[in-house]
Amino acid sequence: MWDVVVVGAGPAGASAAYAAAVAGRKVLLLEKAELPRYKTCGGGIIGPSRDALPPGFELPLSDRVHAVTFQLDGRFPRTRRSRRMLFGLVNRPEFDARLVEHAQKAGAELRTGVTVNRVEQHGPAVPDRRTVAVVLGDGETVLARAVVGADGSAGRIGAHVGVKLGQVDLGLEAEIPVPASVAEDWKGRALIDWGPLPGSYGWVFPKGDTLTVGVISARGEGAATKRYLEDFIGRLGLAGFEPALSSGHLTRCRTDDSPLSRGRVLVCGDAAGLLEPWTREGISFALRSGRLAGEWAVRIAESGDAVDARRQALNYAFAIKAGLGVEMAVGRRMLAVFERRPGMLHAAITTLRPAWRAFADITRGTATLAGLVRGGGMAHRVMELLDRRIDTSVGVGPAGRGVTPRGGGDGDRDDASAAGTEGAPEVSGTSDVPDPAAATDAPRTGKPATAPGGEGESPEPGVS
């Protein structure tokens, strides 16, 4: 009899296993693959991700991003720089494996190569009402006082809980090894391309001698998304380099009324449909929800009856909705704006210092998008204006992709402040409005395109 069984050893599952094990409970972590294993993911580690890591965790960073080049479907490239690191980049196999190691050091037991067929909370396999039976692919039954599902958005545990998904997107990615001269041009700099399809964007993340290049767009646009990736790689001058790996992945966002538990079973991370709807960033949501799931799974395991177990599960749901749920609601509003007005977003972030500072603060973790929008400042006023222009009551973009009605969702207050958006500027970048006549595609040399140096912007090696 285990206190807590965690299904899935990604960031969410490893965080849940660590949280339960560090509390002194008997924890089993199940993973269907052998570790380390590859996951389709940009590997960006923003401030909220760093803050949610276990104490003493050393990030295996492949690069530290201090500059970002933004472009609008290959046009109007502009680069913004910061003296402080904006975010770090990791390779998921190494990052995930290190998280699992921390869970094991805390006392969790790991079993890999294990598939889960189903979970049962009633029936002959369950000895009492305080027990959950986890039935494995080989027929073995594992018993636990609580179960955490972290087995992905298409996993068995989410189906058992009844998770409902409203927004589904397709991400395509290529890991492209490049010569040292090209790698040097990209070192410390990421690229974000606001794409040609509604709600789409592409990215280049440098990781030593490899560039992670990817795009994401709404599901149902598979052929167009594939063309976007091919064109994107071609514009960057990277078509001549053979990818070491090409992959695809569906990201799925929960609906506002989707359950987060059933009986003694909780879900977190992708299994719960928890990720940022606009950027589809999922690592920070996985780490934070996983930690909360592990902590509340301990409380559920200690519950002596169904009523108390239900109370603890509701407390877990409240904690998720009061934090990550608020961020997701604002992310849906941002996606609605982005789908209709990508050029407006590009102009704001490349020409307005407050917008760039907000981006920098959010990626560093000194502010949240929800906190900025709900804080009553400029971001709040801008979003109110945009809400009046864009009706989010029926959704926007392909198939009205799950956008929450205005005024809907929970009314919880996010106390995150917009600290850091005032005072002396610490970032430098272009200040001129994008000029279509001056815009060009990226040179076909594998180098990122950037704008000519503007006021306060100094040339750097590899900037053309």
Side-chain angles (χ1 to χ4, degrees), residues 2-233:
W2 299 87
D3 292 320
V4 178
V5 169
V6 180
V7 182
S15 295
Y18 173 86
V22 81
R25 299 303 182 266
K26 189 178 179 183
V27 180
L28 176 64
L29 178 59
L30 303 175
E31 168 59 41
K32 66 180 180 180
E34 299 294 337
L35 299 177
R37 47 88 178 99
Y38 179 80
K39 285 287 186 179
T40 305
C41 177
I45 303 297
I46 58 177
S49 297
R50 295 194 301 270
D51 294 341
L53 292 170
F57 187 93
E58 293 186 9
L59 276 167
L61 293 180
S62 300
D63 204 344
R64 293 169 169 81
V65 174
H66 287 260
V68 181
T69 296
F70 299 95
Q71 60 186 33
L72 184 62
D73 194 19
R75 302 169 297 155
F76 317 132
R78 295 291 184 269
T79 295
R80 289 288 203 177
R81 297 182 178 84
S82 171
R83 289 191 293 271
R84 287 194 293 149
M85 184 179 79
L86 296 167
F87 57 93
L89 297 172
V90 299
N91 290 308
R92 280 290 302 275
E94 185 180 3
F95 176 68
D96 289 11
R98 190 167 295 190
L99 283 172
V100 170
E101 289 173 5
H102 271 257
Q104 289 178 284
K105 290 177 182 177
E109 181 175 321
L110 171 69
R111 289 177 62 181
T112 60
V114 176
T115 59
V116 172
N117 274 356
R118 65 187 184 278
V119 292
E120 297 179 2
Q121 301 193 63
H122 306 282
V126 183
D128 57 61
R129 298 293 297 273
R130 294 185 58 211
T131 302
V132 180
V134 181
V135 182
L136 307 183
D138 61 2
E140 179 187 356
T141 297
V142 176
L143 302 179
R145 297 298 184 196
V147 170
V148 175
D151 52 341
S153 59
R156 303 283 188 181
I157 313 303
H160 173 78
V161 168
V163 173
K164 294 186 286 185
L165 304 166
Q167 175 188 325
V168 184
D169 295 278
L170 170 64
L172 301 177
E173 195 168 73
E175 302 286 349
I176 305 178
V178 293
S181 58
V182 175
E184 184 63 27
D185 289 332
W186 285 95
K187 186 176 181 181
R189 179 186 292 101
L191 183 144
I192 296 177
D193 178 78
W194 313 118
L197 305 170
S200 68
Y201 75 95
W203 62 88
V204 180
F205 287 169
K207 299 175 183 177
D209 60 358
T210 298
L211 300 178
T212 298
V213 183
V215 300
I216 194 163
S217 184
R219 183 181 67 170
E221 300 285 347
T225 305
K226 183 178 180 181
R227 285 195 301 272
Y228 175 29
L229 178 61
E230 293 171 350
D231 293 344
F232 185 43
I233 291 174

Side-chain angles (χ1 to χ4, degrees), residues 280-291:
R280 292 76 144 186
E281 190 276 325
I283 293 179
S284 74
F285 279 69
L287 292 169
R288 290 181 284 174
S289 64
R291 182 187 63 198

Side-chain angles (χ1 to χ4, degrees), residues 255-343:
T255 60
D256 281 340
D257 61 345
S258 179
L260 291 163
S261 66
R262 178 180 175 185
R264 291 177 173 266
V265 179
L266 306 177
V267 285
C268 59
D270 286 346
L274 292 167
L275 70 156
E276 206 285 307
W278 173 34
T279 63
R280 292 76 144 186
E281 190 276 325
I283 293 179
S284 74
F285 279 69
L287 292 169
R288 290 181 284 174
S289 64
R291 182 187 63 198
L292 290 172
E295 292 170 353
W296 258 275
V298 169
R299 295 176 173 89
I300 290 173
E302 295 171 344
S303 299
D305 55 47
V307 173
D308 190 35
R310 176 61 176 164
R311 182 184 303 114
Q312 300 303 334
L314 287 173
N315 286 337
Y316 166 69
F318 177 81
I320 292 292
K321 292 177 181 179
L324 300 181
V326 171
E327 294 183 31
M328 291 184 71
V330 175
R332 290 189 187 99
R333 293 171 66 187
M334 285 298 301
L335 177 62
V337 173
F338 176 55
E339 287 183 321
R340 294 287 186 89
R341 298 287 187 268

